[in-house]
Amino acid sequence: MATAIPFLEVLSEFGLLVPSGACQSLGNAGGFSGARLWRVSRGGMDYCLRCWPSGHPDIGRLQWIHQVLAQAAHCGTSFIPVPIPTLGGYTVVNHGGRLWELTRWIEGAADYAIRPSPARLVAALSHLGRFHQAISTFPTQGDSPFPQPMTPA
């Protein structure tokens, strides 16, 4: 099914067939990576679709990042937005010269700068510590025992 809206083609790789009205463009949502984001709603579930800038990160690095996130989630860090695999089992879609990923939507706002408090700082550092504990045994990118599969073009 061809469409003029690239993110709809990408979503079909994940088995998400949605009308364009179910996708809310968020621009870069204040991030620094240069990625474009969409909030996608389907069947009572919300997802975050991310389109990375051309060339950054490369596919091997992004797959490694996804493996790190999966490891952290496997160890119980439920606040991690783990990339969802496509129908083909990949967590990255290469479409239009860009890399795309899909995660579940996690509510919240990065607003510590406007609402700081000692309790919020402790909570943030506690989460960061749990994340680091969860991935402490994960190999560095060069030492990864996991294969780096190619994604369909």
Side-chain angles (χ1 to χ4, degrees):
M1 171 180 78
T3 178
I5 304 174
F7 64 82
L8 294 179
E9 292 178 11
V10 171
L11 287 171
S12 71
E13 295 284 331
F14 294 96
L16 287 176
L17 303 176
V18 299
S20 61
C23 302
Q24 175 188 7
S25 175
L26 304 173
N28 75 350
F32 298 108
S33 69
R36 293 178 301 190
L37 304 169
W38 289 264
R39 184 174 184 166
V40 179
S41 300
R42 179 174 181 261
M45 295 287 296
D46 287 334
Y47 303 90
C48 181
L49 179 66
R50 178 186 312 256
C51 175
W52 289 95
S54 182
H56 171 74
D58 67 44
I59 195 164
R61 178 74 173 163
L62 188 55
Q63 288 173 325
W64 180 81
I65 290 168
H66 289 180
Q67 292 166 350
V68 170
L69 295 173
Q71 167 76 18
H74 177 75
C75 291
T77 53
S78 60
F79 56 88
I80 299 294
V82 179
I84 298 167
T86 65
L87 295 174
Y90 302 103
T91 59
V92 178
V93 172
N94 187 346
H95 181 80
R98 297 189 184 268
L99 302 178
W100 299 72
E101 69 185 35
L102 184 72
T103 63
R104 65 186 170 94
W105 184 264
I106 299 177
E107 286 292 335
D111 64 353
Y112 182 81
I114 59 173
R115 293 187 23 215
S117 75
R120 292 182 85 203
L121 181 59
V122 167
L125 293 177
S126 174
H127 279 78
L128 180 62
R130 289 188 3 232
F131 175 78
H132 280 269
Q133 284 179 326
I135 65 167
S136 65
T137 60
F138 197 83
T140 62
Q141 186 174 8
D143 299 332
S144 178
F146 299 103
Q148 300 293 325
M150 293 302 294
T151 59

